[in-house]
Amino acid sequence: MADLDLDALPAWLSTRRWFGGKGRPIASVRVADEARLRHLRVLTLEVAYRSGPSPERYLVPLREGMDVPLEEALDEESCRIVFGILRERREVRTREGVLRGERFDAQGSALDALPERPGVRRLSAEQSNTSLVFGDAVILKLIRKLVPGRNPELEVGALLARRGFRSTPALLAALTLSNDVEATIGVAHRFVQVDCDGWSYVLEALARDGGASVALLEEVRELGARVGEMHVALADPDDPAFAPEPVARDDLQRWSRTLLSELEETVKVASSAVPGLAAKAPELRSRIARLAEAKPSGVRLRQHGDLHLGQVLRSQGEWLIFDFEGEPARPVSERRQKHAPWKDVAGMLRSFAYAAAAAEKRGAPAIPREPLRRAFLDGYRSRASPLLPGDPATAQALLDSLELEKLLYELRYEVGHRPDWVGIPARDLLQEAP
């Protein structure tokens, strides 16, 4: 490859969907590490900004002989080279460390069943990562933004496999890059043929039937049960990283302070777009104060971290939960924090509210949210009740607060990204019961 024109990289990076630094002035780009794999160069680019966040690192595969303007090496042969490291548990020396393949599957898994040169296709529905399917049997997610430590998707996937949780595509293998830090750069799962994602399934059913049919409510109840089983599996008492811990007074007070800060930020950002928000704020502050005063009860545990209907799949009439990476914009340390299990539940309940509102935007009549909520919560409690607060007032205060947290985030997001959708969280927030 000709010498890489580092001066051209800032403009090129801004065109990549996976690059998270769009809109930030870039001070410099350097090659922090490099692995040479036949005609392939796998680069770790470190991007420094003129102000704001610390330098970030990104994974960029390039072919030998390419110069700027760059084109990533995502052709079939290049993808098979990277896949081979993972499949064969190989170690490859890099300029600053080692690239290593790990496997977590049992003998005779989908990895073993693939031919030596499987077909490769790239999934188009992606943003922060790159997903590659090999032989319609294995899906490899290349993690483009590298952060120190094991990626939560790998960490959680390995735990769920050990605990026998089957309502998720099976974890098969991973790629790790170790130099001055260790980072997960790829995670492979069994590829599942799906009918649709949960958002499409629920939205289409609501729009078609003008509300939640008996059949849909039963499916929603089943989804609640799967989420409850997931939380029970994640509460592994033998692993300190996953062992549940009792909710303490300090936790309730800390969560209350955080929520108050989010309320103030939302009022500042969204008041001009949502008449009535500022007037509603004192009532919401009073609600948040109840959380700090609640009786400590229940446990904190690791969880999905970004659970909504887009993170579940329908496959052969069953629900599957996937994508345990958490919110990629948040630091890994934050994504690993234990929280009340209601946090995942609140995300899903808000997703049902969004689906109902989206169906109404399509012309469906007003859709009651309560049957969907009740069905999901019934299914969830049927599996996860040992993890939940024994004190009913604490349970309600936690769930209310975490739903409010999601609502505030939704409102800030819609104001900044989708003004046409502001009305959905705004209506629900202003109608919040005192």
Side-chain angles (χ1 to χ4, degrees), residues 27-69:
S28 64
V29 181
R30 74 178 184 94
V31 178
D33 200 359
E34 175 181 354
R36 290 181 177 266
L37 310 167
R38 293 189 292 196
H39 67 267
L40 183 62
R41 292 176 72 179
V42 179
L43 305 181
T44 301
L45 297 182
E46 183 171 279
V47 183
Y49 301 97
R50 293 177 188 168
S51 62
S54 301
E56 297 175 332
R57 290 187 175 185
Y58 289 89
L59 184 77
V60 181
L62 300 174
R63 288 179 66 93
E64 290 282 2
M66 284 184 181
D67 199 355
V68 176

mmCIF file of all heavy atoms in Angstrom, residues 27-69:
data_model
loop_
_atom_site.group_PDB
_atom_site.id
_atom_site.type_symbol
_atom_site.label_atom_id
_atom_site.label_comp_id
_atom_site.label_asym_id
_atom_site.label_seq_id
_atom_site.Cartn_x
_atom_site.Cartn_y
_atom_site.Cartn_z
ATOM 1 N N ALA A 27 -8.518 17.109 15.111
ATOM 2 C CA ALA A 27 -7.174 17.691 15.185
ATOM 3 C C ALA A 27 -6.162 16.841 14.438
ATOM 4 O O ALA A 27 -5.283 17.365 13.738
ATOM 5 C CB ALA A 27 -6.752 17.848 16.640
ATOM 6 N N SER A 28 -6.265 15.516 14.570
ATOM 7 C CA SER A 28 -5.290 14.630 13.918
ATOM 8 C C SER A 28 -5.823 13.205 13.875
ATOM 9 O O SER A 28 -6.725 12.839 14.649
ATOM 10 C CB SER A 28 -3.954 14.650 14.663
ATOM 11 O OG SER A 28 -4.107 14.128 15.968
ATOM 12 N N VAL A 29 -5.247 12.421 12.953
ATOM 13 C CA VAL A 29 -5.524 10.994 12.864
ATOM 14 C C VAL A 29 -4.187 10.287 12.751
ATOM 15 O O VAL A 29 -3.345 10.670 11.933
ATOM 16 C CB VAL A 29 -6.401 10.645 11.643
ATOM 17 C CG1 VAL A 29 -6.688 9.137 11.612
ATOM 18 C CG2 VAL A 29 -7.713 11.423 11.670
ATOM 19 N N ARG A 30 -3.987 9.254 13.565
ATOM 20 C CA ARG A 30 -2.764 8.472 13.457
ATOM 21 C C ARG A 30 -3.082 6.982 13.455
ATOM 22 O O ARG A 30 -4.157 6.570 13.937
ATOM 23 C CB ARG A 30 -1.802 8.783 14.600
ATOM 24 C CG ARG A 30 -2.194 8.212 15.950
ATOM 25 C CD ARG A 30 -1.156 8.518 17.015
ATOM 26 N NE ARG A 30 -1.491 7.872 18.294
ATOM 27 C CZ ARG A 30 -1.017 6.682 18.674
ATOM 28 N NH1 ARG A 30 -0.214 5.995 17.870
ATOM 29 N NH2 ARG A 30 -1.364 6.161 19.840
ATOM 30 N N VAL A 31 -2.169 6.187 12.909
ATOM 31 C CA VAL A 31 -2.311 4.729 12.922
ATOM 32 C C VAL A 31 -1.727 4.230 14.234
ATOM 33 O O VAL A 31 -0.510 4.247 14.440
ATOM 34 C CB VAL A 31 -1.596 4.083 11.721
ATOM 35 C CG1 VAL A 31 -1.732 2.566 11.790
ATOM 36 C CG2 VAL A 31 -2.179 4.615 10.414
ATOM 37 N N ALA A 32 -2.597 3.801 15.156
ATOM 38 C CA ALA A 32 -2.154 3.350 16.472
ATOM 39 C C ALA A 32 -1.677 1.904 16.448
ATOM 40 O O ALA A 32 -0.863 1.509 17.291
ATOM 41 C CB ALA A 32 -3.282 3.514 17.486
ATOM 42 N N ASP A 33 -2.196 1.100 15.518
ATOM 43 C CA ASP A 33 -1.774 -0.298 15.397
ATOM 44 C C ASP A 33 -2.156 -0.792 14.010
ATOM 45 O O ASP A 33 -2.981 -0.177 13.314
ATOM 46 C CB ASP A 33 -2.437 -1.157 16.473
ATOM 47 C CG ASP A 33 -1.701 -2.478 16.725
ATOM 48 O OD1 ASP A 33 -0.681 -2.730 16.042
ATOM 49 O OD2 ASP A 33 -2.148 -3.247 17.592
ATOM 50 N N GLU A 34 -1.545 -1.907 13.615
ATOM 51 C CA GLU A 34 -1.796 -2.439 12.279
ATOM 52 C C GLU A 34 -1.501 -3.932 12.269
ATOM 53 O O GLU A 34 -0.491 -4.381 12.815
ATOM 54 C CB GLU A 34 -0.903 -1.739 11.258
ATOM 55 C CG GLU A 34 -1.003 -2.301 9.856
ATOM 56 C CD GLU A 34 -0.072 -1.595 8.878
ATOM 57 O OE1 GLU A 34 0.568 -0.597 9.286
ATOM 58 O OE2 GLU A 34 0.011 -2.055 7.732
ATOM 59 N N ALA A 35 -2.419 -4.696 11.670
ATOM 60 C CA ALA A 35 -2.202 -6.124 11.436
ATOM 61 C C ALA A 35 -2.178 -6.355 9.934
ATOM 62 O O ALA A 35 -3.064 -5.874 9.214
ATOM 63 C CB ALA A 35 -3.315 -6.942 12.086
ATOM 64 N N ARG A 36 -1.160 -7.089 9.449
ATOM 65 C CA ARG A 36 -1.056 -7.420 8.026
ATOM 66 C C ARG A 36 -1.477 -8.865 7.817
ATOM 67 O O ARG A 36 -0.876 -9.782 8.393
ATOM 68 C CB ARG A 36 0.362 -7.184 7.522
ATOM 69 C CG ARG A 36 0.742 -5.707 7.444
ATOM 70 C CD ARG A 36 2.155 -5.522 6.926
ATOM 71 N NE ARG A 36 2.480 -4.111 6.800
ATOM 72 C CZ ARG A 36 2.343 -3.403 5.669
ATOM 73 N NH1 ARG A 36 1.888 -3.997 4.568
ATOM 74 N NH2 ARG A 36 2.663 -2.123 5.640
ATOM 75 N N LEU A 37 -2.490 -9.063 6.999
ATOM 76 C CA LEU A 37 -3.050 -10.384 6.739
ATOM 77 C C LEU A 37 -3.134 -10.586 5.232
ATOM 78 O O LEU A 37 -4.105 -10.204 4.596
ATOM 79 C CB LEU A 37 -4.454 -10.501 7.360
ATOM 80 C CG LEU A 37 -4.586 -10.088 8.841
ATOM 81 C CD1 LEU A 37 -6.046 -9.947 9.216
ATOM 82 C CD2 LEU A 37 -3.892 -11.101 9.723
ATOM 83 N N ARG A 38 -2.063 -11.141 4.665
ATOM 84 C CA ARG A 38 -1.941 -11.285 3.213
ATOM 85 C C ARG A 38 -2.144 -9.926 2.537
ATOM 86 O O ARG A 38 -1.402 -8.997 2.811
ATOM 87 C CB ARG A 38 -2.896 -12.366 2.690
ATOM 88 C CG ARG A 38 -2.506 -13.757 3.188
ATOM 89 C CD ARG A 38 -3.274 -14.849 2.537
ATOM 90 N NE ARG A 38 -4.687 -14.838 2.903
ATOM 91 C CZ ARG A 38 -5.485 -15.874 2.709
ATOM 92 N NH1 ARG A 38 -5.029 -16.993 2.135
ATOM 93 N NH2 ARG A 38 -6.739 -15.819 3.058
ATOM 94 N N HIS A 39 -3.182 -9.772 1.690
ATOM 95 C CA HIS A 39 -3.373 -8.502 0.993
ATOM 96 C C HIS A 39 -4.095 -7.471 1.854
ATOM 97 O O HIS A 39 -4.383 -6.362 1.404
ATOM 98 C CB HIS A 39 -4.178 -8.726 -0.290
ATOM 99 C CG HIS A 39 -5.599 -9.152 -0.023
ATOM 100 N ND1 HIS A 39 -5.977 -10.468 0.037
ATOM 101 C CD2 HIS A 39 -6.725 -8.432 0.220
ATOM 102 C CE1 HIS A 39 -7.277 -10.547 0.294
ATOM 103 N NE2 HIS A 39 -7.753 -9.319 0.398
ATOM 104 N N LEU A 40 -4.385 -7.826 3.104
ATOM 105 C CA LEU A 40 -5.265 -7.022 3.952
ATOM 106 C C LEU A 40 -4.461 -6.331 5.046
ATOM 107 O O LEU A 40 -3.568 -6.922 5.653
ATOM 108 C CB LEU A 40 -6.321 -7.938 4.570
ATOM 109 C CG LEU A 40 -7.409 -7.329 5.436
ATOM 110 C CD1 LEU A 40 -8.259 -6.361 4.636
ATOM 111 C CD2 LEU A 40 -8.274 -8.449 6.010
ATOM 112 N N ARG A 41 -4.768 -5.060 5.276
ATOM 113 C CA ARG A 41 -4.232 -4.324 6.415
ATOM 114 C C ARG A 41 -5.394 -3.931 7.320
ATOM 115 O O ARG A 41 -6.335 -3.261 6.878
ATOM 116 C CB ARG A 41 -3.494 -3.067 5.966
ATOM 117 C CG ARG A 41 -2.207 -3.331 5.220
ATOM 118 C CD ARG A 41 -1.608 -2.027 4.722
ATOM 119 N NE ARG A 41 -1.042 -1.228 5.815
ATOM 120 C CZ ARG A 41 -0.440 -0.047 5.603
ATOM 121 N NH1 ARG A 41 -0.359 0.452 4.376
ATOM 122 N NH2 ARG A 41 0.067 0.620 6.616
ATOM 123 N N VAL A 42 -5.347 -4.390 8.561
ATOM 124 C CA VAL A 42 -6.376 -4.034 9.535
ATOM 125 C C VAL A 42 -5.782 -2.953 10.433
ATOM 126 O O VAL A 42 -4.897 -3.216 11.249
ATOM 127 C CB VAL A 42 -6.819 -5.252 10.362
ATOM 128 C CG1 VAL A 42 -7.880 -4.837 11.376
ATOM 129 C CG2 VAL A 42 -7.366 -6.344 9.442
ATOM 130 N N LEU A 43 -6.264 -1.729 10.258
ATOM 131 C CA LEU A 43 -5.714 -0.574 10.955
ATOM 132 C C LEU A 43 -6.555 -0.210 12.169
ATOM 133 O O LEU A 43 -7.795 -0.319 12.147
ATOM 134 C CB LEU A 43 -5.645 0.642 10.032
ATOM 135 C CG LEU A 43 -4.899 0.499 8.704
ATOM 136 C CD1 LEU A 43 -4.935 1.822 7.961
ATOM 137 C CD2 LEU A 43 -3.469 0.038 8.930
ATOM 138 N N THR A 44 -5.864 0.241 13.212
ATOM 139 C CA THR A 44 -6.515 0.921 14.320
ATOM 140 C C THR A 44 -6.170 2.391 14.189
ATOM 141 O O THR A 44 -5.014 2.785 14.360
ATOM 142 C CB THR A 44 -6.033 0.386 15.675
ATOM 143 O OG1 THR A 44 -6.308 -1.012 15.755
ATOM 144 C CG2 THR A 44 -6.746 1.102 16.809
ATOM 145 N N LEU A 45 -7.172 3.198 13.836
ATOM 146 C CA LEU A 45 -6.959 4.635 13.694
ATOM 147 C C LEU A 45 -7.342 5.343 14.980
ATOM 148 O O LEU A 45 -8.431 5.110 15.522
ATOM 149 C CB LEU A 45 -7.795 5.197 12.545
ATOM 150 C CG LEU A 45 -7.491 4.673 11.146
ATOM 151 C CD1 LEU A 45 -8.376 5.375 10.122
ATOM 152 C CD2 LEU A 45 -6.023 4.857 10.790
ATOM 153 N N GLU A 46 -6.458 6.182 15.472
ATOM 154 C CA GLU A 46 -6.764 6.988 16.653
ATOM 155 C C GLU A 46 -7.067 8.411 16.205
ATOM 156 O O GLU A 46 -6.242 9.064 15.554
ATOM 157 C CB GLU A 46 -5.605 6.979 17.633
ATOM 158 C CG GLU A 46 -5.926 7.749 18.913
ATOM 159 C CD GLU A 46 -4.867 7.569 19.974
ATOM 160 O OE1 GLU A 46 -4.902 6.537 20.667
ATOM 161 O OE2 GLU A 46 -3.993 8.454 20.086
ATOM 162 N N VAL A 47 -8.257 8.878 16.546
ATOM 163 C CA VAL A 47 -8.743 10.195 16.125
ATOM 164 C C VAL A 47 -8.733 11.121 17.329
ATOM 165 O O VAL A 47 -9.379 10.846 18.349
ATOM 166 C CB VAL A 47 -10.164 10.093 15.548
ATOM 167 C CG1 VAL A 47 -10.638 11.459 15.043
ATOM 168 C CG2 VAL A 47 -10.224 9.054 14.424
ATOM 169 N N ALA A 48 -7.986 12.217 17.211
ATOM 170 C CA ALA A 48 -7.965 13.242 18.264
ATOM 171 C C ALA A 48 -8.779 14.436 17.799
ATOM 172 O O ALA A 48 -8.725 14.828 16.623
ATOM 173 C CB ALA A 48 -6.528 13.657 18.566
ATOM 174 N N TYR A 49 -9.539 15.024 18.723
ATOM 175 C CA TYR A 49 -10.414 16.149 18.406
ATOM 176 C C TYR A 49 -9.824 17.448 18.965
ATOM 177 O O TYR A 49 -9.051 17.445 19.920
ATOM 178 C CB TYR A 49 -11.811 15.908 18.971
ATOM 179 C CG TYR A 49 -12.458 14.652 18.433
ATOM 180 C CD1 TYR A 49 -12.418 13.457 19.150
ATOM 181 C CD2 TYR A 49 -13.088 14.657 17.191
ATOM 182 C CE1 TYR A 49 -12.996 12.304 18.649
ATOM 183 C CE2 TYR A 49 -13.673 13.508 16.685
ATOM 184 C CZ TYR A 49 -13.623 12.335 17.414
ATOM 185 O OH TYR A 49 -14.183 11.187 16.902
ATOM 186 N N ARG A 50 -10.201 18.550 18.343
ATOM 187 C CA ARG A 50 -9.699 19.847 18.786
ATOM 188 C C ARG A 50 -10.248 20.227 20.150
ATOM 189 O O ARG A 50 -9.619 20.972 20.901
ATOM 190 C CB ARG A 50 -10.061 20.929 17.760
ATOM 191 C CG ARG A 50 -9.330 20.754 16.427
ATOM 192 C CD ARG A 50 -9.766 21.806 15.423
ATOM 193 N NE ARG A 50 -9.212 21.537 14.100
ATOM 194 C CZ ARG A 50 -9.594 22.141 12.994
ATOM 195 N NH1 ARG A 50 -10.549 23.079 13.040
ATOM 196 N NH2 ARG A 50 -9.043 21.833 11.840
ATOM 197 N N SER A 51 -11.426 19.742 20.461
ATOM 198 C CA SER A 51 -12.017 19.988 21.774
ATOM 199 C C SER A 51 -13.030 18.883 22.038
ATOM 200 O O SER A 51 -13.389 18.123 21.131
ATOM 201 C CB SER A 51 -12.705 21.361 21.820
ATOM 202 O OG SER A 51 -13.760 21.417 20.876
ATOM 203 N N GLY A 52 -13.463 18.790 23.269
ATOM 204 C CA GLY A 52 -14.486 17.804 23.585
ATOM 205 C C GLY A 52 -13.905 16.488 24.051
ATOM 206 O O GLY A 52 -13.063 16.452 24.949
ATOM 207 N N PRO A 53 -14.327 15.362 23.412
ATOM 208 C CA PRO A 53 -13.987 14.046 23.952
ATOM 209 C C PRO A 53 -12.512 13.710 23.799
ATOM 210 O O PRO A 53 -11.782 14.305 23.007
ATOM 211 C CB PRO A 53 -14.850 13.095 23.103
ATOM 212 C CG PRO A 53 -15.050 13.817 21.818
ATOM 213 C CD PRO A 53 -15.131 15.268 22.188
ATOM 214 N N SER A 54 -12.095 12.726 24.583
ATOM 215 C CA SER A 54 -10.741 12.189 24.462
ATOM 216 C C SER A 54 -10.599 11.504 23.111
ATOM 217 O O SER A 54 -11.597 11.215 22.431
ATOM 218 C CB SER A 54 -10.490 11.188 25.588
ATOM 219 O OG SER A 54 -10.652 11.796 26.844
ATOM 220 N N PRO A 55 -9.356 11.209 22.683
ATOM 221 C CA PRO A 55 -9.174 10.496 21.413
ATOM 222 C C PRO A 55 -9.957 9.189 21.372
ATOM 223 O O PRO A 55 -10.114 8.512 22.388
ATOM 224 C CB PRO A 55 -7.656 10.246 21.380
ATOM 225 C CG PRO A 55 -7.076 11.345 22.195
ATOM 226 C CD PRO A 55 -8.068 11.584 23.299
ATOM 227 N N GLU A 56 -10.452 8.860 20.184
ATOM 228 C CA GLU A 56 -11.214 7.632 19.975
ATOM 229 C C GLU A 56 -10.477 6.754 18.973
ATOM 230 O O GLU A 56 -9.774 7.251 18.093
ATOM 231 C CB GLU A 56 -12.617 7.952 19.443
ATOM 232 C CG GLU A 56 -13.466 8.762 20.402
ATOM 233 C CD GLU A 56 -14.803 9.159 19.807
ATOM 234 O OE1 GLU A 56 -14.891 9.290 18.572
ATOM 235 O OE2 GLU A 56 -15.757 9.334 20.578
ATOM 236 N N ARG A 57 -10.689 5.442 19.097
ATOM 237 C CA ARG A 57 -10.057 4.505 18.181
ATOM 238 C C ARG A 57 -11.112 3.768 17.358
ATOM 239 O O ARG A 57 -12.161 3.377 17.882
ATOM 240 C CB ARG A 57 -9.183 3.499 18.942
ATOM 241 C CG ARG A 57 -7.930 4.143 19.524
ATOM 242 C CD ARG A 57 -6.988 3.117 20.129
ATOM 243 N NE ARG A 57 -5.749 3.756 20.561
ATOM 244 C CZ ARG A 57 -4.699 3.115 21.038
ATOM 245 N NH1 ARG A 57 -4.726 1.781 21.137
ATOM 246 N NH2 ARG A 57 -3.621 3.770 21.404
ATOM 247 N N TYR A 58 -10.788 3.569 16.071
ATOM 248 C CA TYR A 58 -11.704 2.906 15.151
ATOM 249 C C TYR A 58 -10.956 1.830 14.358
ATOM 250 O O TYR A 58 -9.785 1.999 14.004
ATOM 251 C CB TYR A 58 -12.327 3.916 14.183
ATOM 252 C CG TYR A 58 -13.318 4.840 14.843
ATOM 253 C CD1 TYR A 58 -12.901 6.039 15.417
ATOM 254 C CD2 TYR A 58 -14.660 4.501 14.919
ATOM 255 C CE1 TYR A 58 -13.801 6.875 16.044
ATOM 256 C CE2 TYR A 58 -15.569 5.347 15.551
ATOM 257 C CZ TYR A 58 -15.139 6.523 16.111
ATOM 258 O OH TYR A 58 -16.039 7.345 16.736
ATOM 259 N N LEU A 59 -11.669 0.741 14.082
ATOM 260 C CA LEU A 59 -11.132 -0.367 13.287
ATOM 261 C C LEU A 59 -11.425 -0.116 11.816
ATOM 262 O O LEU A 59 -12.581 0.097 11.436
ATOM 263 C CB LEU A 59 -11.782 -1.674 13.738
ATOM 264 C CG LEU A 59 -11.265 -2.947 13.074
ATOM 265 C CD1 LEU A 59 -9.918 -3.319 13.675
ATOM 266 C CD2 LEU A 59 -12.272 -4.080 13.246
ATOM 267 N N VAL A 60 -10.386 -0.169 10.966
ATOM 268 C CA VAL A 60 -10.545 0.090 9.532
ATOM 269 C C VAL A 60 -9.762 -0.950 8.736
ATOM 270 O O VAL A 60 -8.527 -0.942 8.742
ATOM 271 C CB VAL A 60 -10.051 1.504 9.157
ATOM 272 C CG1 VAL A 60 -10.260 1.751 7.668
ATOM 273 C CG2 VAL A 60 -10.779 2.567 9.980
ATOM 274 N N PRO A 61 -10.442 -1.881 8.054
ATOM 275 C CA PRO A 61 -9.750 -2.836 7.182
ATOM 276 C C PRO A 61 -9.557 -2.257 5.775
ATOM 277 O O PRO A 61 -10.509 -1.766 5.162
ATOM 278 C CB PRO A 61 -10.696 -4.039 7.162
ATOM 279 C CG PRO A 61 -12.050 -3.462 7.387
ATOM 280 C CD PRO A 61 -11.876 -2.190 8.181
ATOM 281 N N LEU A 62 -8.327 -2.293 5.269
ATOM 282 C CA LEU A 62 -8.007 -1.775 3.940
ATOM 283 C C LEU A 62 -7.219 -2.821 3.152
ATOM 284 O O LEU A 62 -6.501 -3.638 3.731
ATOM 285 C CB LEU A 62 -7.180 -0.485 4.047
ATOM 286 C CG LEU A 62 -7.807 0.691 4.783
ATOM 287 C CD1 LEU A 62 -6.792 1.823 4.906
ATOM 288 C CD2 LEU A 62 -9.058 1.172 4.070
ATOM 289 N N ARG A 63 -7.314 -2.767 1.826
ATOM 290 C CA ARG A 63 -6.552 -3.678 0.966
ATOM 291 C C ARG A 63 -5.210 -3.055 0.603
ATOM 292 O O ARG A 63 -5.095 -1.841 0.433
ATOM 293 C CB ARG A 63 -7.329 -3.985 -0.320
ATOM 294 C CG ARG A 63 -8.534 -4.881 -0.116
ATOM 295 C CD ARG A 63 -9.251 -5.104 -1.439
ATOM 296 N NE ARG A 63 -8.421 -5.855 -2.368
ATOM 297 C CZ ARG A 63 -8.452 -7.184 -2.505
ATOM 298 N NH1 ARG A 63 -9.266 -7.900 -1.748
ATOM 299 N NH2 ARG A 63 -7.687 -7.793 -3.376
ATOM 300 N N GLU A 64 -4.184 -3.904 0.488
ATOM 301 C CA GLU A 64 -2.897 -3.446 -0.030
ATOM 302 C C GLU A 64 -3.096 -2.837 -1.418
ATOM 303 O O GLU A 64 -3.904 -3.326 -2.214
ATOM 304 C CB GLU A 64 -1.909 -4.614 -0.127
ATOM 305 C CG GLU A 64 -1.430 -5.137 1.214
ATOM 306 C CD GLU A 64 -0.373 -4.247 1.843
ATOM 307 O OE1 GLU A 64 -0.055 -3.204 1.240
ATOM 308 O OE2 GLU A 64 0.120 -4.598 2.928
ATOM 309 N N GLY A 65 -2.359 -1.783 -1.685
ATOM 310 C CA GLY A 65 -2.436 -1.169 -3.003
ATOM 311 C C GLY A 65 -3.434 -0.042 -3.090
ATOM 312 O O GLY A 65 -3.483 0.668 -4.091
ATOM 313 N N MET A 66 -4.237 0.139 -2.063
ATOM 314 C CA MET A 66 -5.202 1.239 -2.064
ATOM 315 C C MET A 66 -4.546 2.502 -1.531
ATOM 316 O O MET A 66 -3.705 2.463 -0.654
ATOM 317 C CB MET A 66 -6.411 0.909 -1.196
ATOM 318 C CG MET A 66 -7.371 -0.067 -1.829
ATOM 319 S SD MET A 66 -8.812 -0.271 -0.761
ATOM 320 C CE MET A 66 -9.745 -1.471 -1.696
ATOM 321 N N ASP A 67 -4.920 3.619 -2.043
ATOM 322 C CA ASP A 67 -4.486 4.903 -1.532
ATOM 323 C C ASP A 67 -5.742 5.755 -1.391
ATOM 324 O O ASP A 67 -6.838 5.345 -1.767
ATOM 325 C CB ASP A 67 -3.486 5.551 -2.495
ATOM 326 C CG ASP A 67 -2.658 6.639 -1.822
ATOM 327 O OD1 ASP A 67 -2.942 6.945 -0.649
ATOM 328 O OD2 ASP A 67 -1.749 7.164 -2.477
ATOM 329 N N VAL A 68 -5.611 6.904 -0.809
ATOM 330 C CA VAL A 68 -6.755 7.810 -0.709
ATOM 331 C C VAL A 68 -7.147 8.267 -2.113
ATOM 332 O O VAL A 68 -6.266 8.569 -2.923
ATOM 333 C CB VAL A 68 -6.382 9.000 0.191
ATOM 334 C CG1 VAL A 68 -7.515 10.017 0.245
ATOM 335 C CG2 VAL A 68 -6.020 8.517 1.604
ATOM 336 N N PRO A 69 -8.444 8.316 -2.519
ATOM 337 C CA PRO A 69 -9.582 8.038 -1.653
ATOM 338 C C PRO A 69 -9.678 6.547 -1.299
ATOM 339 O O PRO A 69 -9.429 5.690 -2.138
ATOM 340 C CB PRO A 69 -10.781 8.487 -2.492
ATOM 341 C CG PRO A 69 -10.336 8.344 -3.894
ATOM 342 C CD PRO A 69 -8.865 8.678 -3.897
#
